[in-house]
Amino acid sequence: ALEAIRPRRLDLRGQPVVVDRERDGFAKIAVSLGHCSEPQNVMSGGQSCVLDHACESCPFFLVDPLERDGIEAKRHHLSVKKERALVIQASRHMIEHYESRIDDCTRIIEGIDAYVEKLDPVEKTAIKDALTKMSEIRRRASAPEPSTYVRC
């Protein structure tokens, strides 16, 4: 499925960014669900993230549309963290931090959807098929394994 579509990356607003395979090795660094192109962080091998790896909120974060369900999972994870923070009555700034990150994930998902909708029908179908397959793979990979213990 991945080989059927050309490589692409989108910025936080869903705008395509040129993929240059030759420069990728020293202009970007792989991060969870995408790539970081912030110069200081790239130069330090990922050890100088200004936002403490809240990638979805960084303008230097580049995402492949095929990571859509990963971003959805991240949004869900952040929603759970926000709910836990509410339960323990965390400071308002912490709640707002999670709310902003959730909003940023939503913006990325909407950007991916808008980008995919603008593609020609053949490429759109290929991406949607790949997204469906990848979503199923992630679902199976994260599903709990059946217990190997026998209850007496």
Side-chain angles (χ1 to χ4, degrees), residues 56-57 95-105 107:
E56 67 280 347
S57 300
I95 308 301
E96 290 171 355
H97 169 76
Y98 290 126
E99 289 172 343
S100 294
R101 290 180 67 188
I102 291 164
D103 291 345
D104 291 336
C105 286
R107 186 182 71 235

Side-chain angles (χ1 to χ4, degrees), residues 31-145:
V31 294
S32 176
L33 303 174
H35 288 85
C36 175
S37 62
E38 198 280 320
Q40 292 296 323
N41 195 38
V42 171
M43 206 161 66
S44 72
Q47 301 301 313
S48 298
C49 179
V50 176
L51 298 181
D52 292 325
H53 306 285
C55 301
E56 67 280 347
S57 300
C58 181
F60 291 99
F61 179 60
L62 304 175
V63 64
D64 188 301
L66 295 176
E67 293 293 349
R68 185 187 188 286
D69 64 314
I71 299 292
E72 281 183 344
K74 176 90 172 214
R75 179 174 61 182
H76 175 73
H77 174 73
L78 290 168
S79 296
V80 169
K81 289 182 92 167
K82 175 191 160 196
E83 291 305 314
R84 290 178 68 202
L86 286 167
V87 167
I88 66 166
Q89 299 177 343
S91 299
R92 185 70 202 150
H93 77 278
M94 287 303 301
I95 308 301
E96 290 171 355
H97 169 76
Y98 290 126
E99 289 172 343
S100 294
R101 290 180 67 188
I102 291 164
D103 291 345
D104 291 336
C105 286
T106 299
R107 186 182 71 235
I108 291 170
I109 292 165
E110 290 170 350
I112 289 171
D113 291 345
Y115 173 80
V116 170
E117 285 305 313
K118 288 188 253 177
L119 295 173
D120 67 77
V122 172
E123 198 168 15
K124 185 188 324 185
T125 301
I127 285 186
K128 286 187 175 187
D129 289 346
L131 284 169
T132 301
K133 289 175 184 172
M134 290 182 68
S135 179
E136 176 61 18
I137 290 167
R138 280 197 178 148
R139 185 193 64 72
R140 285 187 306 192
S142 62
E145 292 188 28

